[in-house]
Amino acid sequence: MTQSPSTFAQTDLLCPTCAGQRHYSPETVSLDCGSCGRSEPIIPPDDHNAGAEYALDDDVPQVELSQDEPEVHQCRTCGGEVIFTGAALSDHCPYCDGAVVLKPGDPSFATMALIPFQVTEAKALEAARRWIAGRWAAPDDLAAAFEKGRMSGLYAPFWTFDSREAVQYWAKVTTGSGDRRRTRRISGNMNIFFNDLLVPASAHVTPLIRDGILHYFNPNALVPYAAPYLAGFAAERHHQTVAEGLAANADDKALLIRNRIRGHIRTSGRVSNIGYKTDTTGIHYRRILLPVWILHYRYGGRAKKVVVSGIDGRAFGERPFSFWKLAGYSALLSAAALAVGVLYGLAGMP
């Protein structure tokens, strides 16, 4: 189903019983009416195709489906562009909490699948609250500043990439030390298969947002794209070509390849100066949306955020430190080290 949120008319979200505004509920996986309470399950079409991947063939010109967005909300602060479906908070950017203005939308690529929100706003807020409460050396008034924050639900754009890599590598291995130190050059070949590498498809998806949902991504949880899942939430559409997505993944993939090479070199020595060349084949990709809650708060005049995965509720975030608590902990550690030194000295006395 490639229906865009914009073409999914707001009237389609109205409750057929009372004409109230409906929103997607992670608890019931349905469109729920905020007025009369009617609940209508969302039944995704072609469920068996949710995990389908698309092959990249360099010998065949790419023709990718695109869809027009009549209008989007653009942030005046960070430049992020999102669409809102239904009764969503439409005057603040979910990425940075800046003010947004309406502007004409550009064509975007069709979303292939998504993982719907599985964590409610209330549970996400509680997870963020626990994360804040667990920070050591935090200022005493941090919790109060946090409670004044604003929570936003966002479907962020991502890629998944598969590829096969035929790698030829070379490196230096150093063993021993001092006069026994020896360095030798080695080389080798290996094959690597990358499956479902998860790559942000927007510069606005920061490492903090990415890490909020990266580690526990499960492609089996994908469902076919359907606009009702976005009702009441913000979403950023896909604007990158496949080539741009692969380029964005290049540095992370290079790091993964070097780590695989280190694991392939069986030695007790130190491996350095790793170089390689690879022949990449079998590229497959998906354009997907993944859910994330972002709580924006301010402390000391500075904007900070706590990110909660909309999939499993795990929280990551930004926080300030208390100078006085850090100084106190440092003093305690110094005193403890001094006490250990004194006791050790006394124990060694005749």
Side-chain angles (χ1 to χ4, degrees):
M1 184 175 183
T2 58
Q3 185 181 36
S4 86
S6 297
T7 59
F8 186 77
Q10 301 296 337
T11 54
D12 294 331
L13 294 176
L14 297 181
C15 176
T17 300
C18 70
Q21 186 71 53
R22 295 186 294 175
H23 64 276
Y24 167 67
S25 168
E27 284 187 309
T28 59
V29 193
S30 61
L31 281 177
D32 289 357
C33 178
S35 299
C36 71
R38 172 172 172 158
S39 181
E40 181 181 339
I42 298 175
I43 302 174
D46 301 325
D47 190 61
H48 63 285
N49 288 328
E53 296 173 304
Y54 293 76
L56 177 64
D57 189 340
D58 292 331
D59 296 327
V60 178
Q62 274 192 275
V63 179
E64 299 185 87
L65 293 177
S66 64
Q67 51 200 20
D68 293 326
E69 299 294 347
E71 59 185 19
V72 298
H73 290 77
Q74 183 177 47
C75 178
R76 290 177 170 177
T77 302
C78 72
E81 294 185 358
V82 297
I83 53 93
F84 292 93
T85 305
L89 184 67
S90 58
D91 57 349
H92 286 82
C93 171
Y95 283 118
C96 75
D97 205 34
V100 295
V101 293
L102 281 173
K103 67 178 286 288
D106 298 320
S108 60
F109 294 107
T111 302
M112 298 166 177
L114 58 78
I115 295 181
F117 272 91
Q118 299 172 28
V119 176
T120 64
E121 181 174 358
K123 290 182 179 178
L125 181 59
E126 185 57 34
R129 189 178 285 121
R130 287 196 303 269
W131 187 88
I132 285 288
R135 300 309 95 193
W136 69 280
D140 291 336
D141 57 349
L142 176 60
F146 168 84
E147 292 298 336
K148 297 178 182 178
R150 184 198 308 272
M151 182 76 86
S152 297
L154 168 73
Y155 282 98
F158 280 83
W159 296 96
T160 67
F161 285 116
D162 298 348
S163 66
R164 296 185 182 277
E165 312 288 335
V167 179
Q168 179 183 356
Y169 67 83
W170 53 92
K172 290 182 179 180
V173 174
T174 302
T175 57
S177 61
D179 293 339
R180 295 180 177 273
R181 179 173 177 171
R182 299 288 184 272
T183 298
R184 59 189 176 91
R185 297 181 180 273
I186 64 169
S187 61
N189 298 279
M190 62 184 299
N191 294 308
I192 301 174
F193 174 60
F194 288 120
N195 184 42
D196 289 326
L197 286 182
L198 194 62
V199 183
S202 165
H204 298 288
V205 179
T206 63
L208 179 64
I209 297 172
R210 179 197 64 190
D211 292 345
I213 53 181
L214 173 65
H215 299 294
Y216 296 92
F217 165 69
N218 179 4
N220 293 327
L222 288 166
V223 301
Y225 173 81
Y229 286 120
L230 275 60
F233 294 94
E236 182 180 6
R237 307 299 289 166
H238 281 265
H239 288 92
Q240 290 182 343
T241 64
V242 178
E244 290 170 332
L246 290 170
N249 186 41
D251 289 343
D252 285 346
K253 191 168 82 167
L255 178 61
L256 291 172
I257 290 176
R258 284 188 167 84
N259 288 339
R260 296 284 185 93
I261 292 172
R262 289 182 186 277
H264 192 257
I265 299 173
R266 290 183 171 84
T267 177
S268 59
R270 183 173 63 87
V271 179
S272 62
N273 295 85
I274 294 176
Y276 70 89
K277 60 181 180 179
T278 182
D279 180 22
T280 302
T281 57
I283 295 176
H284 288 74
Y285 67 93
R286 301 187 193 94
R287 285 191 172 91
I288 63 175
L289 295 176
L290 297 180
V292 60
W293 292 101
I294 305 176
L295 189 139
H296 300 274
Y297 73 101
R298 299 188 70 84
Y299 187 87
R302 295 186 177 182
K304 298 187 180 298
K305 61 171 69 79
V306 178
V307 175
V308 180
S309 168
I311 300 173
D312 61 6
R314 295 176 186 270
F316 303 78
E318 301 168 336
R319 45 74 57 89
F321 288 88
S322 166
F323 170 79
W324 297 110
K325 287 185 178 181
L326 287 176
Y329 292 151
S330 177
L332 286 173
L333 289 173
S334 297
L338 179 61
V340 170
V342 170
L343 291 174
Y344 181 79
L346 290 174
M349 293 177 62

